[in-house]
Every structure is written in structure tokens, then in C-alpha cells.
């Protein structure tokens, strides 16, 4: 019999300092793995209860809640519910996979090439779960099925998701920042999709460290970025980072058999 457990990595130096009393948790790409997210929520809630004043805690979800897994609705509902503590500051960000879902469910982009691209890059499971009887070559039926499956409350939640959030000298965003654009001049395409030249970070111009998902090379902490997408759909591990004061550590789920 197997179960999901959470390992806490060693404390290490953080690239930017927070006030000693402040704590931030950021959660990487869940990709419809609600069981891993539930376990991670439980561990983070326990850490907050034992080690922090909840009023000094921020929790950020970095997007990509759907696709590549078989529990899209359960995962969206878990993210929307958060940790259930009103004293905690919670921010849920938009990911590129939510953009695919929103564009199809609202009819903003129901072109066949767009749907096929989504299917090919992670949307197959979501479309099979939420639009099982719709034919992908009939995009209008796909959009209608997604709209019905999501319902008004989930659609409103998705529509309200912001693209980025800043806390001190940390910027939280799904994919990253474009080093060739000013901080206040980033566009959605980069925030949701960028990889290079962001990942390598040569001659990083911004006075912030980016906490992001999207690229499954995490968990990793560099001076210009903290990547926490650990590719749960392939690795069986969902990651988060806890930053407090001048230190950070990673929290990572794994399947224990």
C-alpha cells in the first residue's frame, strides 16, 4: 500500500532577505494531482500552526492547476479553498494551462489549431474529463461542454486569477520575467510562457528574485530565480518553497510504498 508523504529539505541561504517575522510559502505546478496538493496543504498548515503567526504568512500558488492529470475539478476546488485560514494572505496566480482552459470554455479562442495544440501539450486528460462526449474537430461542442463542467463559480475564480504578485524583493509569477523588459512592462506571453533568456539569467537586470513554476527543473534556488515546478505528473513529486528571513527550504511530496 502506498501513501503520499512530504519531505522537508535542509535550510539554505535565500537570495533575498525578508523581515525576520515574515514567512512565504509558494506552491509549484499541481497539474491535476489533487492528492499531492492535499498532502502539501496539510503539511504547510501544520508548519504555520507550530512555527508562525498566521498573520505574518503569505501563500502563493503559481498556476498550472489543470492538465497532465485526472483530477482537474478537484484540484481547482482545492486551490480555490486554499488553507482555510482568513488570517493568511493567499494569492492564486494564472498559469498557461488555465489560459488554454479559459479561452476554450469562454469561447474566446475555440479554433481547431488552438485546441489541438492544447491537447498535444497537456490538455488531453482535462478534455477527456470535462468534455468526454465532445468531438475535438467540433470546437463549439468542446467549449460548451467545458463551460458546463466548470460552472459559474469555477469560471469566475479562473477569470480573477492575477498574472503576478510581489512581496518585498520577490516576484511571484507562473513562468518568469523577460530580462529585456522593465518590471512594469512585462506582457502576458512572457509571464505565462517564457523560458530563455529568463532561465539562464545572464546579466540579470532586475533587483528582484523570481519565484516561478512552468519549467520542470525544480526545486532549484539561484540568485535570480527560485523554480519549484518538479514535474509531478512525471516525477511523482510536487514541490513548494518556504522562505523566512534570510533562509529557505523546499517541501516536496513523494509516494512512499
Amino acid at each position: 500500500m502506498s501513501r503520499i508523504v512530504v519531505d522537508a529539505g535542509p535550510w539554505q541561504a535565500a537570495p533575498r532577505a525578508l523581515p525576520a517575522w515574515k514567512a512565504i510559502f509558494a506552491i509549484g505546478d499541481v497539474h491535476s494531482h489533487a492528492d499531492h496538493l492535499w498532502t502539501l496543504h496539510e503539511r504547510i498548515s501544520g508548519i504555520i500552526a507550530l512555527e508562525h503567526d498566521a498573520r505574518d504568512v503569505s501563500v502563493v500558488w503559481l498556476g498550472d492547476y489543470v492538465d497532465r492529470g485526472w483530477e482537474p475539478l478537484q484540484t481547482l476546488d482545492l486551490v480555490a479553498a486554499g488553507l482555510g485560514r482568513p488570517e493568511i494572505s493567499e494569492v492564486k496566480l494564472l498559469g498557461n494551462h488555465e489560459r488554454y482552459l479559459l479561452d476554450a470554455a469562454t469561447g474566446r479562442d475555440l479554433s481547431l489549431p488552438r485546441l489541438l495544440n492544447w491537447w498535444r501539450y497537456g490538455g488531453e486528460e482535462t478534455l477527456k474529463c470535462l468534455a468526454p462526449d465532445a468531438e475535438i474537430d467540433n470546437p463549439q461542442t468542446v467549449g460548451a461542454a467545458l463551460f458546463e463542467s466548470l460552472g459559474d463559480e469555477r469560471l469566475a475564480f479562473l477569470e480573477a486569477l492575477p498574472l503576478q504578485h510581489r512581496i518585498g524583493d520577490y516576484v511571484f509569477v507562473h513562468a518568469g520575467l523577460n530580462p529585456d523588459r522593465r518590471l512594469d512592462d512585462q506582457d502576458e506571453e512572457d509571464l505565462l510562457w517564457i523560458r530563455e533568456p529568463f532561465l539562464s539569467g545572464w546579466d540579470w537586470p532586475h533587483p528582484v528574485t523570481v519565484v516561478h513554476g512552468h519549467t520542470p527543473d525544480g526545486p532549484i534556488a539561484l540568485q535570480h530565480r527560485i523554480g519549484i515546478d518538479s514535474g509531478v505528473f512525471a516525477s511523482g513529486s510536487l514541490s513548494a518553497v518556504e522562505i523566512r528571513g534570510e533562509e529557505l527550504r523546499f517541501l516536496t511530496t513523494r509516494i512512499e510504498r
Side-chain angles (χ1 to χ4, degrees), residues 97-235:
H97 287 268
E98 285 76 59
R99 173 53 68 207
Y100 273 132
L101 176 59
L102 265 174
D103 285 352
T106 60
R108 279 195 289 265
D109 191 341
L110 267 174
S111 66
L112 183 57
R114 175 78 164 179
L115 285 177
L116 290 173
N117 195 54
W118 179 23
W119 177 284
R120 188 161 44 246
Y121 292 105
E124 178 180 358
E125 295 89 344
T126 298
L127 286 163
K128 286 181 176 178
C129 287
L130 304 189
D133 299 321
E135 297 292 338
I136 198 166
D137 57 357
N138 188 346
Q140 296 302 320
T141 65
V142 174
L146 292 172
F147 185 90
E148 182 177 357
S149 292
L150 287 170
D152 292 341
E153 191 171 334
R154 292 191 191 96
L155 278 169
F157 167 71
L158 289 167
E159 291 277 23
L161 297 177
L163 290 169
Q164 61 178 304
H165 184 68
R166 182 167 179 173
I167 303 173
D169 292 330
Y170 289 96
V171 171
F172 298 81
V173 65
H174 175 62
L177 298 181
N178 188 331
D180 297 326
R181 290 179 178 268
R182 296 181 306 172
L183 282 177
D184 59 358
D185 194 32
Q186 301 287 317
D187 64 23
E188 178 174 309
E189 182 73 14
D190 287 327
L191 297 174
L192 295 184
W193 290 96
I194 196 170
R195 288 202 165 97
E196 292 297 353
F198 163 68
L199 295 175
S200 56
W202 301 115
D203 298 320
W204 183 245
H206 300 309
V208 296
T209 293
V210 182
V211 184
H212 69 97
H214 187 59
T215 299
D217 65 351
I220 184 173
L222 305 174
Q223 183 60 35
H224 77 291
R225 70 179 181 94
I226 299 171
I228 50 175
D229 179 6
S230 51
V232 61
F233 58 90
S235 68

Side-chain angles (χ1 to χ4, degrees), residues 1-6 35-36 39 236 253-257:
M1 188 172 180
S2 61
R3 64 182 184 130
I4 298 171
V5 298
V6 179
D35 48 356
H36 284 264
T39 304
T253 68
R254 60 179 172 86
I255 299 172
E256 185 178 76
R257 303 187 189 281

Side-chain angles (χ1 to χ4, degrees), residues 26-29 40 218-219 228-230 237-241 250-253:
I27 298 171
D29 303 34
L40 196 55
I228 50 175
D229 179 6
S230 51
S237 295
L238 174 66
S239 293
V241 65
F250 293 109
L251 307 169
T252 303
T253 68

